[in-house]
Amino acid sequence: TYGMVWWLARRVSGPKLATILVYILILSTSNNWVMRPQLLVYPLFALCVWVLYEWDAGKKKYLWILPLSVLLWVNLHGSFILPFVLAGSALILGKGDRKVLVVAIIVSLIASVINPYGVKIVQFLIFQLTAPANTFSTEWRPPSMADWQDKLFFICLFIFVPLGSFFSQRLSKLDWIWFLGFGWLALSGSRYVIWFLFLLTIFYAKTLAHWENSKIDFPISRTSFGMNIVMSVFILILSFSHFPAIKNIWQKTVISPYDLETTPINAVDWFLENDVKGGHIWNDYAFGSYLSFALPEYPVYIDTRVHNYPYDQWDEYLKVNNAQNWQQAFKREGVNLLILSTKRQPVLIQAISDSAEWNMEHQDEYAVIYSRKELLP
């Protein structure tokens, strides 16, 4: 994906500037590399951008790629609406053959219902975008400057507009509507930032193209083949050094294949060893997915699938985490076992430990288990 964005930037600027911009892009979006289906549609987004730039330049022969991308996209991830956002914007402000683009959009709409749910996929999309429980997920909230990637995003965003006024190279109307539309999305939710930054990298390349010809990509009198080899080997070594087996050597620590802060392996082992039958579990939400997999006989209260649970349930979960009305909630839900996160639920753990109704059965660095005193001896 980043190679495709580099190529799009390279088409409107020099190779050095494109490389610098893509390295900044990599840094600012590296927090979006969690293993999830969304990863698979990043290259489709870049491909759709390229197709529409070609159409805008009068080359309509590649438009068949648009419906093909939608067909793949709708079967991979719920963000399949983005190609329509890109193409709809192009239809309004682009310079290509609009009749052909309309046909491509219609075929793309037909392609979007070729999925296991058919036209009902639209209901899912609406539900996903409007579910009240979204407010409890950090990725649906606006970026908050909480980490350095968010800070880099805001720097890239707020520098761009005044920077563009100093250079003669101007963005097209299509670029600006993408900038405004995807910029608004990025500011409304962290999950949209990466899409905007893909585009912003290209916009920076366009804006700085004339300047970089004299300041960065000036003519080279002699190339250094040896230095290119050294730099290539160095980058490869950096990459390979982070393979888990190699990293274990130089870091001198054993890296688990699991994220132990969200995967309570030791706590689950306690359940398997004791074979406790005690009704429902009250669990840390991040533990829920692994518990459903490892202990299917124990119904969990909540997990990371934000949309699957109503607003009231998330609201109660957060109140209980702050030790508000937790006794009433546990009795109403028939909860006799607790698997709590030592990192994310310290207030609740303190309240439970001060109660005479609960026994601590297990504790490790990441999780603690409590049972009602009448449940176990």
Side-chain angles (χ1 to χ4, degrees):
T1 301
Y2 291 96
M4 293 173 69
V5 174
W6 178 90
W7 182 64
L8 287 168
R10 173 67 185 86
R11 296 176 66 191
V12 295
S13 68
K16 293 180 182 177
L17 177 62
T19 301
I20 292 170
L21 291 173
V22 168
Y23 269 113
I24 295 173
L25 172 66
I26 289 170
L27 290 173
S28 59
T29 57
S30 58
N31 56 344
N32 285 266
W33 295 351
V34 178
M35 187 57 65
R36 56 193 298 184
Q38 182 171 302
L39 284 180
L40 301 176
V41 299
Y42 291 160
L44 296 179
F45 181 84
L47 192 61
C48 290
V49 171
W50 169 72
V51 167
L52 291 169
Y53 271 137
E54 290 292 297
W55 168 85
D56 194 52
K59 302 175 184 177
K60 55 189 179 183
K61 62 181 178 180
Y62 301 112
L63 275 179
W64 62 269
I65 297 176
L66 189 65
L68 180 60
S69 297
V70 171
L71 176 62
L72 294 172
W73 203 320
V74 74
N75 287 283
L76 291 171
H77 192 254
S79 58
F80 65 91
I81 192 175
L82 292 181
F84 296 102
V85 174
L86 291 168
S89 304
L91 186 63
I92 296 171
L93 291 177
K95 297 178 293 184
D97 187 335
R98 284 179 169 78
K99 292 182 180 179
V100 177
L101 183 56
V102 167
V103 172
I105 292 174
I106 292 173
V107 176
S108 297
L109 286 170
I110 297 171
S112 70
V113 300
I114 304 176
N115 66 82
Y117 302 99
V119 294
K120 290 184 178 180
I121 197 73
V122 177
Q123 296 177 0
F124 163 75
L125 178 63
I126 295 172
F127 169 73
Q128 184 185 45
L129 294 174
T130 60
N134 285 345
T135 58
F136 297 108
S137 174
T138 55
E139 69 173 350
W140 286 89
R141 298 174 189 167
S144 62
M145 302 281 285
D147 53 41
W148 62 268
Q149 286 102 338
D150 285 341
K151 294 181 177 67
L152 190 54
F153 156 67
F154 280 109
I155 291 171
C156 293
L157 172 61
F158 291 121
I159 286 178
F160 180 76
V161 175
L163 187 68
S165 64
F166 289 102
F167 297 96
S168 58
Q169 184 75 6
R170 295 289 186 264
L171 299 184
S172 66
K173 292 180 180 179
L174 178 58
D175 292 329
W176 275 117
I177 196 168
W178 283 351
F179 176 85
L180 294 174
F182 282 88
W184 173 78
L185 282 175
L187 291 172
S188 65
S190 297
R191 64 184 293 116
Y192 304 116
V193 168
I194 188 168
W195 311 110
F196 175 63
L197 288 178
F198 286 153
L199 293 171
L200 190 61
T201 301
I202 302 167
F203 300 158
Y204 262 106
K206 284 188 174 184
T207 302
L208 300 176
H210 291 310
W211 172 78
E212 55 87 21
N213 285 335
S214 59
K215 301 297 183 180
I216 298 178
D217 279 301
F218 46 83
I220 301 172
S221 58
R222 184 173 62 89
T223 59
S224 176
F225 181 75
M227 182 58 68
N228 288 338
I229 293 296
V230 169
M231 292 301 297
S232 300
V233 171
F234 175 70
I235 292 173
L236 285 174
I237 290 175
L238 282 180
S239 302
F240 282 108
S241 69
H242 281 72
F243 284 7
I246 299 175
K247 192 172 183 179
N248 284 340
I249 298 173
W250 62 264
Q251 199 176 43
K252 297 183 179 179
T253 58
V254 176
I255 302 172
S256 172
Y258 306 100
D259 178 1
L260 296 178
E261 289 188 356
T262 60
T263 313
I265 296 175
N266 294 330
V268 166
D269 288 343
W270 179 87
F271 269 87
L272 296 175
E273 291 169 3
N274 290 274
D275 192 29
V276 182
K277 303 299 181 185
H280 293 185
I281 293 175
W282 187 280
N283 59 286
D284 167 62
Y285 86 102
F287 290 170
S289 299
Y290 180 69
L291 293 174
S292 296
F293 162 74
L295 300 172
E297 65 273 23
Y298 295 91
V300 299
Y301 180 75
I302 212 159
D303 60 39
T304 54
R305 295 171 295 177
V306 177
H307 303 96
N308 285 15
Y309 299 94
Y311 180 92
D312 292 343
Q313 189 164 341
W314 278 105
D315 186 53
E316 180 174 62
Y317 171 78
L318 293 178
K319 288 179 179 177
V320 169
N321 271 7
N322 291 316
Q324 299 175 20
N325 302 323
W326 56 274
Q327 299 96 329
Q328 297 92 319
F330 291 171
K331 288 180 181 178
R332 186 186 69 252
E333 297 293 334
V335 173
N336 292 320
L337 292 165
L338 314 174
I339 303 183
L340 307 178
S341 167
T342 57
K343 179 180 179 180
R344 290 177 292 276
Q345 297 174 296
V347 176
L348 180 58
I349 289 174
Q350 183 61 51
I352 300 294
S353 63
D354 293 339
S355 171
E357 298 182 19
W358 297 85
N359 284 326
M360 180 186 290
E361 304 291 349
H362 166 85
Q363 183 176 19
D364 57 49
E365 182 181 354
Y366 306 101
V368 57
I369 297 177
Y370 290 95
S371 69
R372 286 193 185 274
K373 287 193 173 179
E374 62 266 25
L375 177 65
L376 293 176

